[in-house]
Amino acid sequence: MLRKVLLLASPLLSLGACPFGGEQGVLPDGHPAVAQETYAAALGDLDLDLVRSDLKAFFLKSQDHWPADLGNYAPFFVRLTWHCTGTYRSSDGRGGCEGGRQRFEPERSWADNTNLDKARALLWPVKAKYGDAISWGDLMVLAGTTAIESMGGPVLGFCAGRLDDKDGFESIELGPSEEQEAVAPCVLNGTCVSPLGSTTVGLIYVNPEGPLGNPIPAESALQVRDSFGRMGMNDSETVALIGGGHAFGKVHGACPAGAGPSPKEDPLNPYPGLCGTGKGKDTFTSGFEGPWTTTPNQWSNLYFNDLLNNDWEVHVGPGGHHQWRIPNATGPMAGIMRLTTDISLLHDPAGIYQKIVKEFAADQAKFDNAFAHAWYKLASRDMGPALRCLGQVAAPPFPWNPSLPARSSEFPPAWPQVKASLKEMARDYSKPIFPADVFSGQSYYGGLFLQLAWRCASTFRQTDYRGGCNGARIRFSPEKDWPANAELDGVLKVLDDVKARFGDALSWSDLIILAGTVAVEEAGGLPMSFCGGRTDATDGSGSEHLAPRLSPRPDTDLAFLVDGMKVMGLTRREFVALVGGGHTLGQMHASRSSFISGPWTSSPSRFNNEYFTNLLTEVYQEVSVQSGEKKYKAVGKELFMLKTDLFLKADPEFRIHVEEFALDNKAFLESYRAAWTKLVRSDRFDDPTGKLCE
Ligand code: HEM
């Protein structure tokens, strides 16, 4: 089935291929934009207020098979949402509640997710009532958000729009798994470092008992800062989230016997609970026991006041773990507890957490505001740019989620003229400010244009929808300072002339992508669709974690290459087409990401499959090693490859595509066009169905 979309293409423009393949203006079924559009329509028809009121009623109906603490499930669902969203990590954008992958391995069997199988089972009737109109990912975020609201807590809004995954594949790199060990090994679980989001694989952030189970608050504070920092949370957000989350509910550890097997170990009866009946007062979840406050179903800043106004002593609780109590307390206060991570907020060696705890204890409104914002950030960041949020969206701006400006009223420029200028510039043009490559005595900028466009677009992360060329942040720090982008500011200066000629009608980001696209077409690639309408950011914020992961440096290995490809959302075939296509034009420059100057092919201004032929037929040798740097040169020829190129030949799953493209130039050209179009459109949330495409 094909879906028609409205296109506003001008008949005067020469049409390239449809950006989505097939007939111009038609999205193939199964295209992510179609799935997103279908879900957006269903969600748009859903009365979210009704879902919220159903959730609020359901929280108060305790079920015998899993009785609610004090008759209210709301705190349990705050934990569910926190553990769904809290997997997000800035390093590669993985994690978060999108996909609803807490339902699958590996996440569902993480120690930190013990008994959340019960929460999801309890939620089923609500899911069943609304069916496909609300995804699991969205429902799990909405449940905790509504739970906070139901207990009087402050809520800013609800960013919806998550599509459900069919398995846990996208969480494999969160570990524990071989893939995680390959790209993010953790020598000693409990001391894991970035790019892992947590100090302990299987926990959301950090060991509640203290580092490696040692109840040392000052050391725990360091781990709390480190691990929350890896999620991009600052000190105030960290304290607000911990104190806000632990305003509610209790910890469960009735006896030392444990929770029993995980869903992976016993899918039919996971976490039966080995204390007494295994439920209610006999529940074992984390192995700690007790509530944080005397009013665990009610929003307040008591968590901070009780923390500050009492002494706390460590002891071993009924579940066999170190936890903290108020010495000699009587009455209800005798039951309240703290985890070492809670106590750590009083022992931050930097002295910062203590100040924030005091502020939140003294000023409820300040705490409300800080928590509402931090929760919204926590619960929305997997969704990427605010533009992607549906539902009951909080009003931007949010500093953690910079948006792009609106399109200029002068848009669009006269595309045929822009294209013609770029075509002319690719050859027979040399701007003294930045030297062109010279091949067969002729100056050539095409390879540089393509490299600029690739660098700009390839920051895109499918994992959290950040990056991409929209915004042209490659003009600003930090992107312009990345070693792989060295000297690309010179290429931008070459393009200055075109930018000046078309003024505000032409954004830098459209110009950069079009320059790369025209370079390929001009050199013999297939005609490509161009979808303008990108706008330019005014600074580089938002690019902090997007530095290239695919470096040809000596420490690069195959696992990193595969990982980088996955983060970009590319298949192996698409990746091979893009890398081969990119390395067909121009040459590598010793001053930039490589250590060599020289081309990959004998005709570096012609776009064809020679790169693949060379890769398979030439013998490449490591010709010299300077300070550990490796160069690969074809024996007897002035042709070069990078280590990353050689991986495409060495790895059988990449190599089948190298062989296919070496044998079939047409297949290569078509695959390149499809992969390039996908890459440069992947950040176009402003125009998901391609209304602006020609
Ligand atoms: C419960 C640890 C941060 C919300 C728990 C439990 C532990 C824990 C061990 C007990 C689970 C059980 O036995 O039932 C931590 C640590 C944190 C942290 C180490 C970070 C340093 C947060 C955050 C939130 C949150 C940021 C939400 C904003 C909750 C809630 C419960 C809970 C609501 C109670 C669930 C119930 O009553 O069933 N946490 N947590 N926690 N946590 Fe946290």
Side-chain angles (χ1 to χ4, degrees), residues 69 73-79 82-83 112 114 148 205-209 224 227-228 238 240-246 248-253 283-288 292 339 341-342 371 375 378:
D69 295 329
Y73 288 118
F76 193 26
F77 281 91
V78 177
R79 175 171 161 248
W82 150 238
H83 285 208
D112 242 0
T114 300
I148 293 170
Y205 283 111
V206 70
N207 190 333
E209 201 172 4
V224 169
S227 58
F228 273 72
T238 302
L241 283 173
I242 295 174
H246 294 171
F248 304 122
K250 71 178 286 276
V251 290
H252 301 82
T283 301
F284 187 107
T285 301
S286 59
F288 305 96
W292 284 271
L339 303 166
T341 41
D342 298 309
F371 178 77
W375 179 266
L378 171 76

Side-chain angles (χ1 to χ4, degrees), residues 308-380:
L308 276 177
N309 299 334
N310 293 289
D311 290 332
W312 294 91
E313 69 177 3
V314 71
H315 71 116
V316 174
H321 288 297
H322 294 105
Q323 56 183 73
W324 299 69
R325 66 183 169 203
I326 303 170
N328 308 317
T330 52
M333 293 298 276
I336 70 169
M337 57 66 65
R338 291 290 181 272
L339 303 166
T340 300
T341 41
D342 298 309
I343 299 293
S344 84
L345 303 181
L346 297 176
H347 296 270
D348 173 16
I352 299 171
Y353 288 161
Q354 294 88 322
K355 281 193 198 139
I356 302 169
V357 167
K358 282 184 191 151
E359 276 171 21
F360 291 162
D363 189 340
Q364 177 78 52
K366 188 167 193 177
F367 172 45
D368 287 0
N369 187 49
F371 178 77
H373 278 87
W375 179 266
Y376 190 72
K377 174 176 176 180
L378 171 76
S380 310

Side-chain angles (χ1 to χ4, degrees), residues 20 33 83 98 105 130 170 195 231 276 522 549 571 593 620:
F20 308 104
H83 285 208
E98 212 208 12
E105 297 299 332
Y130 296 103
E170 300 292 340
M231 191 181 50
E522 189 273 342
R549 302 162 61 79
T571 63
S593 53
Y620 289 91

Side-chain angles (χ1 to χ4, degrees), residues 170 256 260 321 401 575 631:
E170 300 292 340
H321 288 297
N401 205 3
F575 187 69
K631 304 181 179 191

Side-chain angles (χ1 to χ4, degrees), residues 9-11 13-17 24 527-529 693-694:
S10 153
L13 297 172
S14 67
L15 296 183
Q24 182 76 9
M528 286 187 264
S529 144
C693 298
E694 306 153 32

Side-chain angles (χ1 to χ4, degrees), residues 368-672:
D368 287 0
N369 187 49
F371 178 77
H373 278 87
W375 179 266
Y376 190 72
K377 174 176 176 180
L378 171 76
S380 310
R381 270 202 327 182
D382 57 338
M383 288 294 291
L387 212 56
R388 297 192 67 251
C389 285
L390 307 167
Q392 300 179 328
V393 186
F398 297 109
W400 48 270
N401 205 3
S403 331
L404 290 172
R407 235 166 256 139
S408 157
S409 56
E410 291 173 41
F411 175 85
W415 290 122
Q417 275 96 310
V418 184
K419 277 184 149 190
S421 313
L422 288 167
K423 246 184 207 178
E424 262 169 43
M425 286 176 82
R427 293 175 202 269
D428 290 330
Y429 174 87
S430 188
K431 200 169 174 175
I433 202 158
F434 189 75
D437 291 326
V438 178
F439 301 120
S440 311
Q442 195 184 27
S443 69
Y444 181 63
Y445 279 117
L448 293 165
F449 289 170
L450 182 56
Q451 197 190 8
L452 174 69
W454 159 255
R455 285 282 171 223
C456 193
S458 63
T459 53
F460 180 73
R461 308 200 299 199
Q462 183 66 35
T463 46
D464 64 353
Y465 308 99
R466 284 170 207 281
C469 200
N470 202 358
R473 294 189 176 91
I474 197 166
R475 294 169 307 137
F476 304 112
S477 294
E479 288 195 33
K480 78 181 178 62
D481 309 320
W482 295 337
N485 290 345
E487 294 188 12
L488 289 182
D489 52 342
V491 187
L492 285 166
K493 286 200 184 100
V494 173
L495 291 174
D496 259 346
D497 290 349
V498 190
K499 175 72 178 98
R501 196 170 143 204
F502 295 94
D504 286 345
L506 176 65
S507 65
W508 269 110
S509 39
D510 274 349
L511 174 57
I512 293 168
I513 294 300
L514 190 57
T517 307
V518 166
V520 171
E521 288 178 349
E522 189 273 342
L526 298 176
M528 286 187 264
S529 144
F530 181 70
C531 315
R534 296 166 185 83
T535 61
D536 295 335
T538 48
D539 61 33
S541 51
S543 297
E544 295 79 14
H545 298 282
L546 304 178
R549 302 162 61 79
L550 310 179
S551 151
R553 303 264 150 191
D555 58 352
T556 298
D557 71 16
L558 181 62
F560 278 107
L561 193 74
V562 173
D563 188 55
M565 173 195 88
K566 283 193 200 164
V567 168
M568 287 167 73
L570 297 172
T571 63
R572 274 189 156 74
R573 192 165 188 267
E574 289 164 344
F575 187 69
V576 170
L578 283 171
V579 173
H583 291 174
T584 297
L585 294 185
Q587 61 172 16
M588 44 189 107
H589 301 82
S591 51
R592 292 216 288 280
S593 53
S594 61
F595 313 106
I596 328 162
S597 285
W600 288 266
T601 66
S602 60
S603 53
S605 60
R606 303 283 355 131
F607 196 78
N608 55 33
N609 62 348
E610 188 195 325
Y611 165 93
F612 302 101
T613 318
N614 291 351
L615 194 55
L616 294 176
T617 47
E618 302 299 338
V619 176
Y620 289 91
Q621 282 187 340
E622 205 180 304
V623 285
S624 69
V625 178
Q626 293 161 358
S627 57
E629 297 167 356
K630 293 177 183 173
K631 304 181 179 191
Y632 299 93
K633 182 177 177 301
V635 174
K637 294 189 180 164
E638 288 303 303
L639 296 174
F640 299 89
M641 288 284 163
L642 299 169
K643 189 175 175 185
T644 40
D645 296 307
L646 296 180
F647 279 135
L648 303 186
K649 173 174 163 175
D651 176 69
E653 290 170 35
F654 280 126
R655 187 182 164 117
I656 54 164
H657 304 297
V658 174
E659 289 177 5
E660 180 199 355
F661 296 149
L663 294 174
D664 187 345
N665 188 43
K666 186 165 170 282
F668 161 59
L669 294 179
E670 282 170 358
S671 305
Y672 183 85

